[in-house]
Amino acid sequence: MLARGIGAVQAEAGANTASPPPSVPKTRLRLINARVSRGGAVLLGTLPFAAVAVAYLSASAQRLAVNANDKLLPSPAQMWSAFFDLATVPDKRSGDLILWADTYASLVRLLAGVGLATLTALLLGIAIGFIPRVRAFLLPFVTVVCVIPPLALLPILFIALGLGETAKITLIAIGVAPVMVRDIANRVMELPPELIAKAQTLGGNSWTMVLRLVLPQTMPRLITCVRLALGPAWLFLIAAEAIASTEGLGYRIFLVRRYLSMDVILPYVVWITLLAVATDWLLARLSYMVSPWAHPGSGK
Amino acid sequence: MSRIVVHGLEKSYGDARVLERVSVTAEPGEFLSLVGASGCGKSTFLRILLGQEQQSGGVVVIGDRPIVPEPTPQRGIVFQRYSVFPHLTALQNLLLVEDFRSGGPFGRVFGARRRRARQEAETMLERVGLAHARDLYPASLSGGMQQRLAIAQTLLGRPQILLLDEPFGALDPGIRVEMHELLTELWNEHGMTVVMVTHDIGEAFKLGTRVLVFDKVRHDPQFPSAYGATITYDLKLDRKGRASARDVAEVAAIVGTTRLDSAIATTAS
């Protein structure tokens, strides 16, 4: 019966070759199956940006037409000149190039805070995830610390550590570290027990397994973790700078708010966004470099 | 080489008893095939031998002392899945064995010892037919190649006892036959004791020198998990592959396989 079926199909195929091949009917695919071409993807992706830009430009043009001194929606030229001045003209009082001084101060705080949190997450996360005694000792504590709103700790930090850099860096670290610790610990606990058993049959001890098995397998997750933590880290940075600082991107925004200087605030927000996007991209590249095995299709 | 003695082994999870009154002695160099219906506890038995799980009662002695309740280099293991380290290339997977064995603070050997390890690893890759894949990550190897790598890695650890947990369960039939040949050759070369859990009765008879069948002998209809499985059949095959069709049929009936024909066909050939 099967054989007859195949024969029938072959006969049909033979008949088809004689007549012109049937044209492929155009069917409407389901929404979830309709693919997007490369150009289409670029176009669709640009659309929201363009929409925001057009909305802003027209609103700004309308307001400026009514009142040329309007400060709420400055024109691109006004914003550019304000931004350009901050980047190139030294401040009268301090002699600093304000944009670069602000950027440097903020990035140092951000890197120090997130770096500290990452180191903590790696050490504590692996210890909690891999060693049952440490897990029993620390996991309940970390779980509770995770739910404390970090901003509620800010006054305590300022009182205990003063208004200097230490308090700001600590706020960022405390803000993002607990979640990272839990995430890394979870990742380590998710390691297939088969791999851990096998490593032991090959002679691995607790320490060499951390070095050769746990650490490399945790790396991609750690980098993802840092990428996700950078959002909250910026939040804590700007909050801390807004309250007590003398320089920094967040400080500047909150300072010029008093003068309704939207021509400075808006470019600063764009600048912060660009910095965040660039960091995220760099971390993604780092993950490809450090753990090529975790990104199949990226070379080897 | 050391014999394995299991006496009065029991394993329960809470109220549920998985294994009971399991006693068996394996001489050095034997190849034990463990078969039984799904969930009968044969994999649990293997994990107890490995040290990954602990028995609830009874003793397991390897050589002249009870087994250590954690995995050690004495016993090698090949699992069906997660059998190699995904973050290392084929060659690195094999080099890792020497790195682990050294136990140094860096978890890595250097200099002359590394060169020796590398040579040994490359010879082993050649031996299992993976020389062309030495720099590939396991994700880009086929299932059969991954299992070959896993076996090579385990053998480099020079275990006295090789434990196999359905090592070929996920492979295509053609590849499986290839793997059988490789495993038989390596077993003949190294002469270690092998304990293999399998679903495939044909495979059990083809490779093993002895087939152990796990089954429940006591049943409580009110509380199915009241009794565990034990070894109900212990067939010593006088020469490899010389099982009678009657034996195979009997074992197949117990295990409830639907692959009886194929089982008899493989053993007859």
Side-chain angles (χ1 to χ4, degrees), chain B residues 2-55:
Chain B
S2 31
R3 68 205 298 224
I4 310 171
V5 180
V6 178
H7 187 76
L9 183 85
E10 281 185 30
K11 176 70 186 175
S12 315
Y13 296 100
D15 279 344
R17 179 162 290 189
V18 181
L19 293 169
E20 58 182 24
R21 296 178 296 136
V22 176
S23 296
V24 64
T25 301
E27 297 302 328
E30 274 195 296
F31 193 132
L32 273 58
S33 298
L34 272 45
V35 295
S38 294
C40 70
K42 53 193 191 303
S43 286
T44 306
F45 180 71
L46 197 81
R47 281 200 296 275
I48 292 173
L49 286 185
L50 174 61
Q52 203 184 5
E53 284 191 44
Q54 274 67 57
Q55 68 266 35

Side-chain angles (χ1 to χ4, degrees), chain A residues 195 198 201 203 207 212 217 293, chain B residues 73 83 87 99 105 107 150 153-154:
Chain A
L195 287 186
K198 175 131 194 191
T201 65
W207 170 243
R212 301 302 309 276
Q217 296 246 359
W293 58 275
Chain B
S83 50
H87 62 284
D99 288 340
Q153 187 180 43
T154 304

Side-chain angles (χ1 to χ4, degrees), chain A residues 176-199:
Chain A
V176 296
V179 182
M180 290 175 76
V181 171
R182 273 182 83 181
D183 199 37
I184 294 302
N186 276 333
R187 168 71 190 121
V188 174
M189 285 189 272
E190 280 165 12
L191 284 177
E194 287 91 343
L195 287 186
I196 297 171
K198 175 131 194 191

